[in-house]
Amino acid sequence: MLHIVKKDVPKNREKIVVRLSAVLAALAVASIIVLVAGANPIELYIGIFQGCFGSVYRFSATIEKMVPLLVLSLGVMVAFKMRFWNIGAEGQFQMGAVGTTLVVRLLPDLPLPIMLVLMIVASFAFGAVWLMIPAFFKARFGTNETLFTLMLNYIALTLVTALQYDFWKDPAANGMPKIANLPENALLPSVSGFNLSILMAVVIILAMYYFTNRSKIGFEIAVLGESENTARYIGINVTKTIIIAALVSGGLCGIVGMMQTTGVSGALSTEITGGLGFTAIIVAWLSGLKVPFVVVNSFAFAVLLQGASYIQTAFQIPGSVAEMIQAIILFFILGSEFVLQYRFVSDKTKSEVA
Amino acid sequence: MNNDYVVKMENITKVFGKVKALDHVEFSLKKGEVHAILGENGAGKSSLMNVLNGIYMPDEGQIEVKGQLVNINSPKIALDLGIGMLPQHYKLVDVFSAMENVAAGSRKTTPFLNKKKILDEMGKLITQLGMDINPNKKVYEMSVAEKQSLEIFKVLYRGADILILDEPTAVLTPQEIKNLFEIVKKMVATGCSVIIITHKLEEVMEISDRITIMRKGTTIQTVNKEETTPQELAGMMVGDVMELNIPYVPVERGGKCLEVKDITAVDRNKVHILDHVSFDLYAGEILGVAGIAGSGQKELCEGIAGLYHLKSGEIIFEGENIVGKNPEKISQMGISLSFVPEDRLGMGLVSSMDIIDNVLLKDYRNKKGMGISREVSRDKAEALVERLNVSTPAIENHAVSLLSGGNIQKVLLGREIELEPKLLVTAYATRGLDVGSSQIIYELLNEQKVRMKPIMYVGEDLDVLMSLCDRILVLCEGRVTGIVDPRKTTKEAIGLMMSGVRSEGEEACSIS
């Protein structure tokens, strides 16, 4: 019989080696699928690279995919640091977009700078409230936040559906269920495909780095996540800390709603999140809840996303093949975590020791 | 003659790392007897039973069950041999009924539950033993005593005739204990043999036929109940006073610093875990707290630190009643608690953080503004590591959970002392430490005492308590059974108090 035993903490060098080999192995396995789909794997992989970095336009598309994922990942990271399993980033994203659209609908004629500030505030508030609801119930009554945040995703989605099909339906869209595009004075300014959200993301990265590593509240969140007993023992106000962490986590996810509506899609819709709220969970986790790694990993994921959409058109392969490649790479990387943390021991050696 | 013994364990030795948990232990169980194993914490009682139950494999020695030499390497094999152990923490499915819990995991259970058959069989056993079990009652509706009966029942239903009860009375009320003993007597009458682990002398005298006394991993003696007295047992349990190299530093004690008046607390099972506890603590003294594990030491420490809810009573510190204040306030007043729980890292330290961050835990509030600075803490951590000789590869990016137990404790206690608290409460400060490290801790405490700090020291080892402390407060089941001067009393006397016998002339010696 084989037993699975937890390993000692792996060294950094080992981590890098294992993960790199996981990616290479994944590419090798994915090649089989690519061959079946009738393309040359090597050319295809070069194609992915070209699709991401081949031109300024393509690079901007990569960055455009990276920004929302990055900010969402930082958002869930804060909650995860506290062992508060916020899997409701999708919903907070949606609600942030709702908040943004609401500002435009109420005050359509504001000048751009004021409009942007108001939209940021509103989206942050909407996302934050959406997470503070489960946080409050968790702090007060000990409810399970995993289920609670997950279910709030569907409530948010249903709300947006109702807005899109009824309350905010654009009368000028010839009966199409669609919310009207934002006016010019509510769109993020952009330079050759790079819009202002990149700057916002840089500010957020720096702020979150300070928050998690250098601030009192960030320290308290980490302590609380590791051991509630210790937190109580050194006199941390548990309820207050949970609420603040939820505010930051939900707020960041909310801001993504604003970035996407005003910078990419131009209008609120049910498809606006594209499942990024769930991908962010993987990114945050793979990054070990550390800000620099979140940045690196969200870039890597953006490359995968952008590369996949590029090769579909460039190589005329079905979208599902691109998705399969993505999935295989992800599967191997997640699997390598197991190799890093556990090893197999056979029964025989164990009984000899005993 | 040999057939009279259902279990014979010979020369059992079990080593964990450097510690000999069991050192050539002899134990035997006769058919149809109740055999008590008596000993202080860490005497090896549970380890021995875990060997018998197949949880630990002995490094040396042999086990005979019912006349046959056996090799027990899992609880399943133990059960095949008829050995069943009642877990200290019940393993029942809350939302299942009693009957379903019995059926779950039993090898007699068929793939489709034959409820009627199980109920019939259960009914027979229940009437035979006179147990109070309703097969249809859900576990979450049961009291602790009912859950315990159910656990016993489960083991018996699976065919065990050698039953190991590990501290079964710790969680029960006196009436429930009486019921349990009735059941034990009936089980024995039907041919079962029972091993009961306990440290309560009265219970031992009431229920058992033979008694094995263990101390520090060895069997001291096995005696018949008729031929012994509680005094003799207590003496064997604690042993002779050992000469330890712990200097007692005489200090003229100062004024009263802490006054604990009549504090009472209840635990989750509504059992009084602290029962009208009162004592005073003076500047420049070390007040030892002795008692069997779980007698209320943890709750007393946490109660003082504001972490455990006290039902009634007062704690006066610097002229103010601190009961009801939050932990933050209390720690700002200068009361420091360094409690080393069984898992050592549960409270006080954050296991995944490095030494600097753990020092920072108590420091970070002192800096103004929103940020934290690791510079001050780094200096402190460096000083701490050097002064207490903590062996660690680094103070940064090296989680404290990777350090050895002794080093973790040095970090914890060192940090607390560094804070210059006005009152130091420390529990199990030397648990798991080697002699050298313990010595450093004792010296640290004595140093604080000389500086006229009041210190409360909760300990396990009576020898240490008796050499180190100025006075010893003895707790038993949440009650104070005596406050004595260790230089004017005997170890046996304290051992008796730990087992619930109240001392005569309580407090008499503390006035001197």
Side-chain angles (χ1 to χ4, degrees), chain A residues 213-214 216 220 226 233-234, chain B residues 337 352 364 367 370 372:
Chain A
N213 295 309
R214 294 282 151 81
K216 282 184 183 172
E220 288 177 347
E226 287 298 331
Y233 161 69
I234 61 167
Chain B
L337 169 67
S352 62
Y364 77 98
K367 190 175 176 293
M370 305 261 291
I372 49 177

Side-chain angles (χ1 to χ4, degrees), chain A:
Chain A
M1 269 283 281
L2 282 177
H3 287 270
I4 297 167
V5 184
K6 200 152 173 110
K7 269 207 263 193
D8 294 341
V9 183
K11 299 237 160 37
N12 277 336
R13 172 191 289 257
E14 190 191 348
K15 279 187 194 169
I16 293 168
V17 170
V18 169
R19 286 189 183 140
L20 273 183
S21 17
V23 173
L24 290 178
L27 291 179
V29 172
S31 305
I32 302 169
I33 291 164
V34 175
L35 284 172
V36 171
N40 180 339
I42 309 280
E43 277 177 22
L44 190 91
Y45 295 147
I46 294 171
I48 290 182
F49 188 79
Q50 283 176 340
C52 296
F53 308 102
S55 69
V56 175
Y57 169 74
R58 288 180 201 154
F59 185 62
S60 77
T62 312
I63 296 297
E64 190 182 285
K65 291 203 162 58
M66 171 189 175
V67 166
L69 190 57
L70 169 67
V71 179
L72 283 168
S73 305
L74 290 174
V76 293
M77 180 198 76
V78 174
F80 283 7
K81 278 241 173 209
M82 203 176 60
R83 304 278 150 97
F84 181 93
W85 307 119
N86 171 21
I87 53 173
E90 286 277 305
Q92 291 135 30
F93 185 164
Q94 297 262 15
M95 291 311 290
V98 170
T100 309
T101 313
L102 186 68
V103 170
V104 181
R105 292 184 72 90
L106 291 177
L107 306 158
D109 299 321
L110 290 174
L112 182 68
I114 299 176
M115 181 68 104
L116 288 181
V117 170
L118 273 184
M119 288 194 297
I120 291 173
V121 171
S123 60
F124 186 90
F126 270 62
V129 167
W130 211 240
L131 185 55
M132 275 160 75
I133 299 167
F136 169 79
F137 279 90
K138 162 120 179 167
R140 194 67 207 280
F141 304 107
T143 53
N144 181 317
E145 77 279 6
T146 318
L147 275 177
F148 209 139
T149 51
L150 181 68
M151 292 192 293
L152 280 176
N153 285 343
Y154 299 108
I155 297 179
L157 183 64
T158 312
L159 177 70
V160 174
T161 311
L163 293 175
Q164 185 176 339
Y165 283 78
D166 193 351
F167 302 104
W168 289 358
K169 189 169 147 185
D170 186 5
N174 300 326
M176 278 268 289
K178 150 173 210 321
I179 296 172
N181 282 346
L182 299 181
E184 203 60 33
N185 61 340
L187 293 180
L188 282 180
S190 70
V191 181
S192 61
F194 298 94
N195 69 37
L196 192 69
S197 65
I198 298 166
L199 210 61
M200 289 168 64
V202 171
V203 174
I204 290 172
I205 293 169
L206 295 177
M208 290 314 294
Y209 185 79
Y210 174 82
F211 182 83
T212 47
N213 295 309
R214 294 282 151 81
S215 76
K216 282 184 183 172
I217 180 72
F219 186 64
E220 288 177 347
I221 287 171
V223 172
L224 181 57
E226 287 298 331
S227 159
E228 188 174 336
N229 271 336
T230 307
R232 288 198 326 128
Y233 161 69
I234 61 167
I236 289 175
N237 184 334
V238 174
T239 310
K240 194 178 117 193
T241 311
I242 291 181
I243 296 293
I244 291 179
L247 180 91
V248 175
S249 174
L252 284 181
C253 296
I255 283 185
V256 179
M258 177 263 177
M259 290 173 171
Q260 285 302 91
T261 336
T262 62
V264 180
S265 70
L268 171 65
S269 79
T270 50
E271 279 96 40
I272 193 168
T273 63
L276 285 180
F278 292 122
T279 314
I281 295 171
I282 305 172
V283 174
W285 202 244
L286 279 179
S287 312
L289 308 184
K290 294 202 165 65
V291 176
F293 294 110
V294 169
V295 178
V296 173
N297 283 337
S298 20
F299 183 70
F301 266 78
V303 167
L304 274 182
L305 292 174
Q306 167 62 17
S309 71
Y310 173 77
I311 56 174
Q312 278 177 52
T313 44
F315 289 77
Q316 296 296 317
I317 58 165
S320 49
V321 172
E323 276 173 20
M324 280 167 87
I325 297 172
Q326 265 184 55
I328 289 168
I329 293 177
L330 196 55
F331 186 81
F332 271 75
I333 291 182
L334 293 177
S336 73
E337 293 298 303
F338 179 85
V339 180
L340 280 175
Q341 290 188 10
Y342 299 92
R343 62 198 166 91
F344 289 100
V345 177
S346 80
D347 230 2
K348 224 173 218 166
T349 53
K350 211 179 166 193
S351 55
E352 272 166 16
V353 173

